[in-house]
Structure formats: C-alpha cells, structure tokens
Amino acid sequence: MAIIETEAALHEAHRDNHTHRDVNGGWLRPAVFGAMDGLVSNLALMTGVAGGAVGQHTVVLSGLAGLAAGAFSMAAGEYTSVASQRELVEAELDVERRELRKHPKCEEAELAALYRARGVEPQLADEVARQLSKDPEQALEIHAREELGIDPADLPSPTVAAVSSFGSFALGALIPVLPYLLGASSLWPAVLLALLGLFLCGAVVAKVTARTWWYSGLRQLLLGGAAAGVTYALGTLFGTAVG
C-alpha cells in the first residue's frame, strides 16, 4: 500500500513539474504583436509628422488616419493570407481523401512504413496501420498529421484572424493618439504613453519566450523609441526642406 502511494505521489509530482511553454504562442502572440505593430507604426507616423512643425490638428488627424489605414490593411492582409493557406490545405486534404478512396491498401502500407521508420516493430506497425485505416475519416486525419503536419479539425479561420488582427492593431495604434483625444497639446505625453505601452507589450511577449520580462520590455521600448526618433528627425529634415 505504501509503495502504491509513493508511486502515485511521484507520478503527481512529475506531472506538476513537467510543463512546457506554449510554443505556438496561441492567441497571445498574434494579439500582442499586432498591438505592438500598431503602436510602433502609428507612433513613428505621428512623430514624423510632428517633426515637420505642423499643427496639433494635423498630428492627430495623421494618427487617426494611420490607425484606420493600418488596421484595415492588417485585417485584409491577414484574411487573404489565412484564407489562401486554408484553401491550399483543403486542396491537399482532397488529394489525400481521393488516394484513400482509390488506393486504400497503398495508403495503409504507407502509414505502416512511417511507423516502421520511427522504430515500431514491423508486425506491430502493420497491425496499427490496419486498425487505424478502418475508419476513412480517422485515416485521413492521421495521414494529414503525419504527412502534412496539420489537424483537419483545427484549420485557422480567416475571419477570426482578420478581426483579431484589426482589433489588436487598432488598440495599439490608439495609444499614441489617446493623449491628444484627452486634451494634450504637445507630442510628449503621446510619446511617453507609447513608450510605456511598448515596454508593457514587450514584457507580455516574455510569456511566450524564454527571456525575462524586463529584458523583453526594455528591448521593445528601445526599438520603438529608435523608430520614433528616426522618423521625427526625418520629419524635421523634410519639413525644413519642403518649407
């Protein structure tokens, strides 16, 4: 009895300690990077315009235009990209489905060969492939996983990708505009709030990386700040040249 309890305790401890990061990033990665993209691009746009010594109204209008244009562009691009990828996957699944229907034995042998190549004993590999091939839909799913590296039941949605991309980009792009909408009359509150947002986004990115939160946040703050500084300098230069 004591041995059983000890083994159960060891199993439970192993299960608790054996955890992994989400290597695909899940929803967190695209959401944070979309917001970061909107924040950096709109901050750079606004500082570039402000560097040209234009009025406050022009800076705010540029920020709002950058928010709308960037968000719609991101949504359209993400929708087209994911839809094209999904159409390609579905076309390949149709090919595999036809092969399973026309040449079931060949596909079964192919599956058995995959298992043998991974070290499964030949007789066992043949038996596993035979049993898994009984159900055509299950066979399709297994072939898709083994040969294409995809899950037919978990294909990405173009609409979800477009909406999430639009929302995260717009949220990030809104941050440097927000101080103006709340009554600020100079660029500095927008820059400071945007830099804070960059640091926080970078810190959140550490959730899907092996970096510490402060390193990831500081790195993003420096990169975003550098982009804003360069565009401000270019805006000043072009503003002087045009003026």
Side-chain angles (χ1 to χ4, degrees), residues 195 220-232:
L195 292 178
Q220 193 56 42
L221 185 151
L222 292 175
L223 291 173
V230 169
T231 53
Y232 183 85

Side-chain angles (χ1 to χ4, degrees), residues 4-93:
I4 295 175
E5 290 177 352
T6 302
E7 290 179 349
L10 288 172
H11 177 74
E12 185 68 24
H14 175 74
R15 188 178 66 180
D16 290 341
N17 293 329
H18 193 72
T19 58
H20 294 286
R21 296 176 189 271
D22 181 3
V23 295
N24 293 320
W27 63 269
L28 181 63
R29 179 183 173 89
V32 172
F33 277 94
M36 197 179 296
D37 188 16
L39 208 166
V40 173
S41 62
N42 218 29
L43 174 63
L45 172 64
M46 292 175 64
T47 53
V49 172
V54 299
Q56 174 185 339
H57 177 76
T58 303
V59 176
V60 176
L61 184 60
S62 298
L64 292 174
L67 185 158
F72 280 112
S73 175
M74 287 284 290
E78 195 71 18
Y79 184 92
T80 302
S81 174
V82 174
S84 299
Q85 179 186 11
R86 185 181 178 112
E87 289 164 3
L88 174 61
V89 169
E90 289 175 343
E92 291 301 313
L93 288 175

Side-chain angles (χ1 to χ4, degrees), residues 117-165:
R118 293 185 177 182
V120 179
E121 294 180 357
Q123 185 176 355
L124 179 58
D126 292 341
E127 179 62 20
V128 170
R130 186 187 68 79
Q131 293 192 25
L132 293 177
S133 298
K134 289 180 179 180
D135 181 356
E137 287 304 312
Q138 179 177 257
L140 175 64
E141 180 180 341
I142 294 170
H143 278 275
R145 288 178 182 273
E146 295 290 344
E147 298 176 29
L148 303 175
I150 60 172
D151 182 357
D154 190 29
L155 298 182
S157 167
T159 302
V160 171
V163 171
S164 61
S165 179

Side-chain angles (χ1 to χ4, degrees), residues 137-236:
E137 287 304 312
Q138 179 177 257
L140 175 64
E141 180 180 341
I142 294 170
H143 278 275
R145 288 178 182 273
E146 295 290 344
E147 298 176 29
L148 303 175
I150 60 172
D151 182 357
D154 190 29
L155 298 182
S157 167
T159 302
V160 171
V163 171
S164 61
S165 179
F166 181 96
S168 60
F169 184 96
L171 182 62
L174 178 64
I175 292 176
V177 184
L178 195 58
Y180 283 103
L181 299 180
L182 296 177
S185 57
S186 68
L187 181 65
W188 288 112
V191 171
L192 292 175
L193 183 62
L195 292 178
L196 176 61
L198 285 169
F199 182 84
L200 292 176
C201 284
V204 173
V205 168
K207 291 285 187 180
V208 292
T209 67
R211 294 289 186 180
T212 57
W213 64 270
W214 60 265
Y215 176 89
S216 183
L218 186 60
R219 178 177 60 183
Q220 193 56 42
L221 185 151
L222 292 175
L223 291 173
V230 169
T231 53
Y232 183 85
L234 291 174
T236 302

